[in-house]
Amino acid sequence: MSAAPEPNWLDDEEMDAWIQVATALARLPHALDAQLLRDAQITHFEYEVMAALSEAPDRTLRMSQLAELSYGSLSRLSHVVGRLEKRGWVRRHPCPENGRFTNAVLTESGWEKVVATAPGYVTNVRELVIDRLTRAQLRQVSAIGRRINTRGTGST
C-alpha cells in the first residue's frame, strides 16, 4: 500500500490570501443580512431574488433561472418565494411557453419594496467594500472574482 501524496501546503503568502478571502466570505453575508433585516425586514437572499426579478424582462423569470441567478437551490428558492408571495411581493404562475415550468413575477408591491430597499443596501455595500478600495483595487477585485467564479478547474 502506498502512502497518500503529501498535500501541496500553502506558503505564507498563499495562506494570508486565503485567510483574507475566507474572512470576507464569512463576514459579508452576516453584515448584509443584518442591515437588510434591520432596515427592510428581509434577508439578503430575499433581496437578491427580488432584485433579480426587478431587472428581468416583465419582472419575470422561470424559477429554475432565478435559482441559478441567486445561487440557491430550487428547493430553497421555492421556500423563499413562498414567503415573498405571502407578503405580496412575488407571485408564481405556470410558464405560458411551457407549462412544465413555473415563472416567478415581481409584483408592483415587490417593485416598490426593491426601490425602497436599494438605497440602504447600496450604502451598506459601499461601506463594507467599495469605499474601502481604490479604483485600481476595484478592478483587481473584479478580475479576481471573474477568475474565481469562472467554471472549470481554475488551473488555466
Side-chain angles (χ1 to χ4, degrees):
M1 227 180 194
S2 64
E6 183 72 15
N8 185 10
W9 297 109
L10 303 179
D11 64 29
D12 289 345
E13 185 176 17
E14 292 167 333
M15 180 62 83
D16 182 55
W18 171 244
I19 288 170
Q20 297 308 317
V21 168
T23 300
L25 290 172
R27 184 176 152 266
L28 288 174
H30 172 73
L32 293 167
D33 264 346
Q35 179 271 320
L36 286 166
L37 286 166
R38 180 189 68 236
D39 297 346
Q41 297 73 52
I42 60 173
T43 66
H44 185 242
F45 189 70
E46 289 168 333
Y47 178 75
E48 289 296 320
V49 166
M50 291 196 303
L53 287 170
S54 77
E55 296 174 0
D58 299 319
R59 299 181 191 153
T60 302
L61 286 169
R62 282 185 180 171
M63 290 286 286
S64 54
Q65 291 173 299
L66 189 53
E68 274 186 43
L69 287 173
S70 61
Y71 298 101
S73 68
L74 201 48
S75 173
R76 179 181 184 207
L77 178 67
S78 184
H79 288 294
V80 166
V81 168
R83 287 197 309 267
L84 297 173
E85 278 182 305
K86 287 178 184 170
R87 296 171 98 171
W89 296 332
V90 174
R91 62 183 163 78
R92 285 184 267 201
H93 63 81
C95 176
E97 293 86 30
N98 185 336
R100 294 180 301 144
F101 294 102
T102 300
N103 285 347
V105 181
L106 188 69
T107 65
E108 189 59 33
S109 178
W111 169 254
E112 291 168 5
K113 182 66 173 176
V114 171
V115 169
T117 302
Y121 178 74
V122 76
T123 297
N124 196 33
V125 167
R126 283 193 160 285
E127 289 174 5
L128 292 170
V129 179
I130 303 302
D131 292 345
R132 294 175 182 225
L133 303 173
T134 65
R135 283 287 165 177
Q137 290 170 326
L138 287 171
R139 286 189 293 274
Q140 288 173 327
V141 167
S142 293
I144 291 164
R146 278 191 293 278
R147 179 69 176 224
I148 290 171
N149 296 321
T150 300
R151 294 183 190 248
T153 63
S155 61
T156 57

